[in-house]
Amino acid sequence: MKDQILWNKIKDFVLDKENATFNFTERLARDNAWSLEFAKRVVDEYKKFIYLCCISDSPITPSDSVDQAWHLHLTYTQSYWKDLCQNTLGKEIHHNPTEGGDSEKKKFSNYYNASFDLYRAEFGRDPARDIWWDNKKRFTDIHFKRINVNRFWLIKKPSPKLLLGLKLLSAIILAPLL
């Protein structure tokens, strides 16, 4: 590991306030419809990503789940800017989202690959696949919306194969009626 002291400081950084009735990890789980256990794992991966940002000589990109933790942490402005960046890291880590277009897609795809390479070098293993999706899925499975689940039902879309089967079945059933 390039900087064990820094890693220990980040690993020990507390995101969940002890006396909070609704803490960071619980909010992360709720906002993303994740289990609390999965959210805890994402927080661990978020800390690894922050460490990688600190030691990397070039830009890197988080997984989508890690990015959700980062976005949420940015809203805890005191915790993020003062407690983490200033007091723990001694440097600012800025979030730089895409500006769109093909060159940006390629740039962030390359950054994501670099994240995997650096992760392996620093932690001696591949990142968790359920948190760090492969490059293709990371940049295609991205159509998320914030939805009030008290007002709307969410129903998973059927797979293309199932849709085709339903179309064929309905054609067979409706054919005698036409």
Side-chain angles (χ1 to χ4, degrees):
M1 183 161 280
K2 193 172 187 177
D3 191 337
Q4 187 67 49
I5 293 170
L6 176 63
W7 168 238
N8 289 341
K9 286 166 57 175
I10 295 169
K11 186 176 60 169
D12 295 340
F13 183 81
V14 177
L15 281 161
D16 292 329
K17 302 242 186 222
E18 194 174 305
N19 58 353
T21 56
F22 188 54
N23 66 37
F24 179 89
T25 305
E26 291 166 338
R27 183 178 302 267
L28 183 64
R30 184 208 59 192
D31 289 356
N32 291 282
W34 296 337
S35 70
L36 186 56
E37 282 308 308
F38 185 77
K40 287 176 182 177
R41 291 180 52 234
V42 169
V43 167
D44 290 341
E45 294 299 313
Y46 167 62
K47 289 179 179 183
K48 289 175 185 172
F49 174 74
I50 291 297
Y51 169 75
L52 296 176
C53 286
C54 290
I55 64 154
S56 181
D57 295 329
S58 57
I60 59 173
T61 294
S63 71
D64 183 71
S65 300
V66 169
D67 200 34
Q68 295 312 305
W70 194 7
H71 286 206
L72 181 60
H73 196 194
L74 284 163
T75 67
Y76 288 67
T77 57
Q78 171 76 30
S79 173
Y80 185 78
W81 290 111
K82 197 147 190 102
D83 301 339
L84 178 66
C85 291
Q86 184 179 349
N87 297 338
T88 304
L89 308 177
K91 68 187 277 181
E92 294 180 350
I93 304 292
H94 290 276
H95 189 289
N96 299 303
T98 182
E99 295 175 3
D102 289 339
S103 65
E104 288 283 291
K105 284 180 190 175
K106 184 176 180 179
K107 177 176 82 173
F108 281 98
S109 176
N110 290 338
Y111 291 169
Y112 194 61
N113 287 337
S115 300
F116 272 70
D117 294 341
L118 189 56
Y119 189 107
R120 285 184 200 101
E122 285 299 306
F123 298 108
R125 62 179 174 80
D126 286 336
R129 299 311 263 168
D130 60 337
I131 295 173
W132 291 84
W133 299 339
D134 65 61
N135 194 301
K136 182 180 180 195
K137 184 174 181 181
R138 166 64 175 96
F139 294 105
T140 57
D141 194 2
I142 55 173
H143 303 285
F144 301 101
K145 300 286 182 213
R146 184 170 182 246
I147 297 172
N148 182 338
V149 294
N150 287 329
R151 291 183 27 217
F152 297 95
W153 286 342
L154 297 179
I155 301 170
K156 186 176 180 180
K157 288 183 179 180
S159 69
K161 191 184 267 188
L162 180 60
L163 279 176
L164 179 61
L166 290 173
K167 284 180 186 177
L168 291 172
L169 183 61
S170 65
I172 292 168
I173 292 170
L174 293 175
L177 302 174
L178 300 174

